[in-house]
Amino acid sequence: MSEKARILFDALDLDQDGTLTRAEVIRALRAKGPTLAAQGVIPAWGVGDDDASSALFDQADQNGDRVLSFAEFAALVNRRFGW
């Protein structure tokens, strides 16, 4: 898994419990998305509205348990962002 995926996952994991919830992803991208894009952690086009963040979550949640593990998250962002 890419280092960029780990950096992004850790930035979005607001409660630092090792998983991401839908609400956590939406809140974190809303609050941190532009800064993460400016730092090169996420492509600028990867910062969207709440619906885009929710869609990203749905695509990544392969097992349907409504939380994202690092492996689920990294598999999607590595592919989607070309890492």
Side-chain angles (χ1 to χ4, degrees), residues 2-68:
S2 78
E3 174 133 352
K4 285 185 177 184
R6 171 51 71 187
I7 291 167
L8 181 55
F9 184 89
D10 290 346
L12 300 180
D13 188 9
L14 298 176
D15 61 7
Q16 301 179 337
D17 69 350
T19 62
L20 300 174
T21 64
R22 178 186 310 276
E24 196 170 31
V25 169
I26 291 169
R27 272 194 325 269
L29 285 175
R30 187 184 310 139
K32 298 180 177 184
T35 301
L36 293 170
Q39 294 171 342
V41 175
I42 188 172
W45 57 265
V47 179
D49 60 12
D50 291 358
D51 290 338
S53 298
S54 185
L56 175 76
F57 183 92
D58 288 339
Q59 287 177 322
D61 187 18
Q62 292 298 305
N63 63 6
D65 66 354
R66 296 185 290 179
V67 295
L68 299 183

Side-chain angles (χ1 to χ4, degrees), residues 65-81:
D65 66 354
R66 296 185 290 179
V67 295
L68 299 183
S69 66
F70 174 68
E72 286 175 310
F73 178 80
L76 177 70
V77 298
N78 285 335
R79 183 176 65 251
R80 185 172 184 171
F81 298 147

